[in-house]
Amino acid sequence: VQELRLLLQKYYHLSDAIEELHHKYDKLCRQQEMDSCANKALRNRLSRRLNDDIAMNEVSLENTNTGTRPSVLATRYRELETTEWLAAKEELDAVHKCGKELVTPYLCDIFVEAMRISKEKMALFTTSLSRLLLEPVQETGEKNLALTDTVGQSSNGSVEQSIIPKNLQKKVKDILKERSDKVNVGDIVKGVKDCMGKSERYRDRIWTIPSCRRKGLESYILECCRLAWRMNVQTPPMTVSVQTDIPFDPTCHERAYDCQSFSDGTEVIDYYVWPILFDAENQLPVRMKGRVYTKLQRPYTTK
């Protein structure tokens, strides 16, 4: 009888503990739901604000070259993967037997580098052109400025970008945007080639191909630089992402046609065939999903 009473006491005690845990669980679920709603509302506000900017970007191009509109650039972005990218890959496969694990990331990195260099060139060129337009009216008198003095280095008495009127910066960007498909991207092409040629990963295995045997690759690099420049003159600039070792997200990623799917563990990004394309730097919204190869995340081990 005594044992039965003790068991009943333990039973009641455990029941109370379980009931308390249920209450805490329900409370946490409600809190998570509230936080999720708040987060979704914040993302919607940010997305609406960004979409307004993107819509204005589209509207501002109504009377200019239709090829500079973000929607057209996104279509060209997909075409670049299915035409020039494919031709360059077939050319590299025919010359080298290094496999898709090297060739595919190499072609992807070319476009990423083209975007990075184009962004730097755009910022420098906008500042330089704004300075040339602004400095002649400075009270210091007449100045003899050469374009070469403003590109790649700071001249004495240069005007910082922070004090250049925003309306002047906007006018300069509008001019660059309108003429983005007529710009000579030779400097960007050279920068991409130099960067890829110095890469330890690719230097000794891919960049040793004679120039006469890489016409497809040369064409691909040129088209990457042209498109990257046109994407960077947008307001806001378009951007790409190739972040690896993050969970596979079907809203941002799509598997390559021969990529294995893992259902028995956490599937993370191994490498990219083609980057994710976003309409702006804050990665909202996704304009084009990235094509990826995935791998199974290895559990952490402690020694």
Side-chain angles (χ1 to χ4, degrees):
V1 176
Q2 187 67 22
E3 282 186 29
L4 182 59
R5 289 179 178 176
L6 290 174
L7 289 174
L8 284 173
Q9 289 177 357
K10 290 182 180 180
Y11 170 77
Y12 292 139
H13 177 73
L14 290 173
S15 297
D16 293 339
I18 291 172
E19 186 69 23
E20 184 178 356
L21 289 174
H22 276 301
H23 285 305
K24 289 183 178 180
Y25 174 77
D26 292 338
K27 184 177 180 181
L28 288 172
C29 287
R30 288 193 297 271
Q31 184 63 43
Q32 181 186 22
E33 186 176 355
M34 292 173 60
D35 291 342
S36 177
C37 291
N39 181 50
K40 184 176 181 180
L42 178 59
R43 288 180 65 88
N44 286 337
R45 287 199 300 272
L46 289 172
S47 181
R48 283 197 300 271
R49 183 170 181 177
L50 180 61
N51 283 334
D52 289 341
D53 291 339
I54 294 168
M56 288 300 295
N57 191 30
E58 295 276 6
V59 170
S60 67
L61 296 168
E62 286 294 332
N63 299 320
T64 61
N65 188 348
T66 57
T68 59
R69 297 178 184 175
S71 56
V72 176
L73 298 182
T75 301
R76 176 65 184 123
Y77 181 71
R78 182 60 74 193
E79 291 175 351
L80 182 63
E81 180 197 4
T82 57
T83 53
E84 287 87 354
W85 181 96
L86 185 59
K89 183 178 184 303
E90 290 175 349
E91 184 178 74
L92 291 173
D93 288 340
V95 177
H96 285 292
K97 304 299 181 182
C98 41
K100 66 182 180 184
E101 293 80 5
L102 186 68
V103 172
T104 300
Y106 171 74
L107 294 173
C108 181
D109 286 347
I110 286 176
F111 189 81
V112 173
E113 283 301 313
M115 288 291 286
R116 180 186 66 81
I117 296 173
S118 295
K119 181 179 179 180
E120 294 175 356
K121 293 284 185 182
M122 176 62 184
L124 180 61
F125 194 67
T126 301
T127 304
S128 301
L129 186 54
S130 299
R131 183 186 300 130
L132 287 171
L133 294 173
L134 185 63
E135 283 197 337
V137 299
Q138 297 299 305
E139 60 183 2
T140 53
E142 184 178 353
K143 295 186 178 181
N144 183 19
L145 292 176
L147 183 60
T148 54
D149 293 333
T150 62
V151 178
Q153 58 184 356
S154 297
S155 59
N156 293 332
S158 63
V159 181
E160 297 295 334
Q161 186 174 3
S162 58
I163 65 173
I164 296 175
K166 289 185 176 180
N167 60 340
L168 181 57
Q169 294 184 47
K170 182 179 184 301
K171 181 61 68 175
V172 169
K173 289 181 178 180
D174 288 343
I175 294 172
L176 293 175
K177 187 187 303 181
E178 184 175 355
R179 300 184 59 83
S180 61
D181 58 342
K182 300 179 178 65
V183 170
N184 185 344
V185 295
D187 286 344
I188 302 175
V189 171
K190 183 179 182 300
V192 171
K193 289 182 177 180
D194 289 344
C195 181
M196 302 305 294
K198 294 175 182 177
S199 171
E200 294 183 1
R201 183 179 183 185
Y202 308 120
R203 180 178 55 203
D204 300 328
R205 302 187 63 184
I206 291 183
W207 205 243
T208 56
I209 308 174
S211 58
C212 62
R213 300 187 62 186
R214 59 184 190 204
K215 293 182 180 179
L217 179 60
E218 294 285 343
S219 175
Y220 171 71
I221 294 175
L222 176 62
E223 292 304 318
C224 282
C225 294
R226 284 175 175 168
L227 181 58
W229 173 259
R230 292 163 66 191
M231 286 180 170
N232 273 280
V233 300
Q234 301 303 308
T235 307
M238 304 174 83
T239 188
V240 296
S241 174
V242 287
Q243 187 177 0
T244 57
D245 293 318
I246 58 173
F248 176 84
D249 183 355
T251 63
C252 300
H253 308 116
E254 59 184 19
R255 296 179 185 85
Y257 72 94
D258 58 345
C259 174
Q260 179 183 358
S261 177
F262 301 95
S263 59
D264 55 348
T266 302
E267 188 177 12
V268 297
I269 306 304
D270 188 10
Y271 61 91
Y272 283 75
V273 175
W274 203 231
I276 310 171
L277 177 64
F278 298 100
D279 273 323
E281 290 184 340
N282 65 355
Q283 299 189 352
L284 284 173
V286 176
R287 175 71 77 161
M288 289 280 185
K289 295 181 181 180
R291 201 180 307 279
V292 300
Y293 282 93
T294 60
K295 62 182 179 181
L296 192 61
Q297 187 178 47
R298 297 179 179 178
Y300 293 103
T301 59
T302 57
K303 296 183 178 179

